[in-house]
Amino acid sequence: MKPLSENQPGTRFFETMAAKVIAATGSPWAFFLALGVIILWGVSGPIFHYSDTWQLVINTGTTIITFLMVFIIQKSQNKDSKSIQLKLNELIAAHKLASNRLIDVENLSEEELDILHKYYHVMAEETAKKIRMNESHSVEEAIDGALSKHEERLRRRKKFPEGSGEEED
């Protein structure tokens, strides 16, 4: 059986470096450092007589930083998107009334997604006819739902104990 994780050289290094860069550049200190650089550059304008070289320094610096940050931001967004998708897949898989066909929905074509969107739009309209949006569910309803889900799981465990060779639903 093929291992789930294929460690490619440099991948772990990039992940570690990207996480550190994301944490650093997303901090208030990074903003104030960048602001300080811009202020120093602006104040130094009269000293360098607002020359082409003076302008080229800031343009080149910001272009290089922007170019590199595009890849770091994309990496971060890809990772966040994948983790959110996995959490949603787990919720769909765990809920007995949810359609398992929606697991891996992100791999459908644009046309297939549009069809699903229309389906859920119609479903939402029909639900809106029956339930007003400003009606809320109570905490008690949420607790009852969680308890019933837990009780159902316990019943299944008693019916099919681990290691019995029987399949769970």
Side-chain angles (χ1 to χ4, degrees), residues 127-142:
T127 303
K129 291 176 186 175
K130 297 173 185 162
I131 301 171
R132 289 183 296 173
M133 189 60 90
N134 60 357
E135 292 177 354
S136 66
H137 297 283
S138 67
V139 173
E140 290 80 14
E141 285 180 84

Side-chain angles (χ1 to χ4, degrees), residues 3 14 18 23 28 37 40 42 45 48-49 51 56 61 67 81 85 99 103 107-108 118-120 149 159 169:
F14 180 71
V37 168
L40 284 173
F48 294 102
H49 307 289
S51 68
L56 188 62
F67 178 75
S81 177
Q85 196 61 51
S99 171
I103 294 175
N107 292 323
L108 295 178
K118 289 175 187 173
Y119 169 77
Y120 283 107
K149 187 176 180 179
K159 187 175 180 181
D169 297 357

Side-chain angles (χ1 to χ4, degrees), residues 8 24 29-30 37 43 45 57 65 86 100 109-110 122 124 132 142:
Q8 297 174 359
W29 291 108
V37 168
V43 169
V57 166
I65 291 170
L86 288 169
N100 286 341
S109 70
E110 191 73 28
V122 169
R132 289 183 296 173

Side-chain angles (χ1 to χ4, degrees), residues 25-127:
T25 57
S27 71
W29 291 108
F31 172 79
F32 290 119
L33 176 66
L35 182 63
V37 168
I38 297 299
I39 290 171
L40 284 173
W41 172 78
V43 169
S44 69
I47 297 168
F48 294 102
H49 307 289
Y50 301 102
S51 68
D52 288 344
T53 304
W54 174 79
Q55 291 179 23
L56 188 62
V57 166
I58 198 69
N59 288 339
T60 303
T62 56
T63 300
I64 290 169
I65 291 170
T66 302
F67 178 75
L68 294 174
M69 286 304 296
V70 165
F71 296 101
I72 299 295
I73 291 168
Q74 189 62 52
K75 170 69 176 162
S76 175
Q77 286 183 331
N78 288 348
K79 186 176 180 180
D80 287 349
S81 177
K82 190 179 286 186
S83 65
I84 289 169
Q85 196 61 51
L86 288 169
K87 290 175 184 179
L88 291 172
N89 288 346
E90 172 62 18
L91 291 173
I92 292 168
H95 195 281
K96 66 181 179 179
L97 297 178
S99 171
N100 286 341
R101 290 179 294 172
L102 292 178
I103 294 175
D104 208 29
V105 72
E106 66 275 8
N107 292 323
L108 295 178
S109 70
E110 191 73 28
E111 183 181 350
E112 291 168 320
L113 290 173
D114 288 342
I115 291 168
L116 276 173
H117 182 265
K118 289 175 187 173
Y119 169 77
Y120 283 107
H121 182 72
V122 169
M123 186 188 297
E125 285 177 343
E126 291 301 314
T127 303

